[in-house]
Amino acid sequence: MADRDQTEPEGTGPTARRIILGAQLRRLRERAGVARSDAAWSIRGSDSKMSRLEAGKVGFKERDVADLLTLYGITDDAERELLLDTTRRSNEPGWWQPYGDVLPDWFEDYVGLEMSASRIQTYELMFVPGLLQTEDYARAIITSGHPDRATPDDERRLAVRMRRQQALGRRDAPTVWAILDESVLHRPIGGPSALVAQVEHLLELSSLPNVVVQVLPFGLSGYAAESTFSILRFSEPELPDLVYQEHLTAAVYLDKRADVESYSRVMDRVAVDALTPDETRQHLSKIVAEG
């Protein structure tokens, strides 16, 4: 148990554990030469269920994992217990689950992956990224510009956003690299004073060793990328890097290597076109001074 605690990143949550467990079970099945359909039959499920389990898209029952380990010839008590312990931990509720009634399912998945990422790159056209927002700025967005009319559900959504930001102060905090279109710094979300406070907050965060902020000038805006996206990278080899794109009523997760590489090239191009981190800090300081 001590070995697991020493090797598992502090921020690894149930979403990531589920994906890691699925990948481990898939490798064990393939090593044992067991067809996926036969594995599914052994746990009283369908081939499609087995596919979702191995992809980490659904939770595991401890009995099913025990049966699969027996089928795959895993008899060593220590190895079985390690995988069964991972199963139990993958079913633990994430801190965000009590807020499930105010969060869409597709965003709950993102929160779980975000907390396990070692590197988060994001390109934003409209708003400051959620991880870098002040409370007043975030409340204005969540309430569609009417913070004085915030409902209890709005405040709970805000609580989730503020809780997500705690990841920046973790011992194994992810590197957050945000590239913002210059228009973001001039859109008066929450009013002029809230915007200035937000820019000051960006300036403060950019001094952290794990936070990089760049501004893409108006003159080069829109050429390299047409929409907002984020790239999440993970230290665990079982977790594929992925691209996240959020829409009004859904989100897209892309984890095929070709897709991730395409978006990575775009991110590289945007980073080259943007002001350097030092130039960005100077630009932010100027906005604060003029505000």
Side-chain angles (χ1 to χ4, degrees), residues 209-244:
N210 59 311
V211 176
V212 178
V213 179
Q214 290 184 262
V215 171
L216 182 66
F218 282 126
L220 294 173
S221 174
Y223 290 116
E226 300 175 351
S227 61
T228 293
F229 65 92
S230 297
I231 303 175
L232 275 63
R233 303 186 186 278
F234 305 89
S235 57
E236 298 88 345
E238 296 89 350
L239 290 172
D241 296 339
L242 62 85
V243 175
Y244 173 80

Side-chain angles (χ1 to χ4, degrees), residues 191-212:
S193 60
L195 178 61
V196 171
Q198 176 62 75
V199 175
E200 287 180 325
H201 188 57
L202 283 174
L203 192 56
E204 293 171 2
L205 290 175
S206 68
S207 66
L208 297 176
N210 59 311
V211 176
V212 178

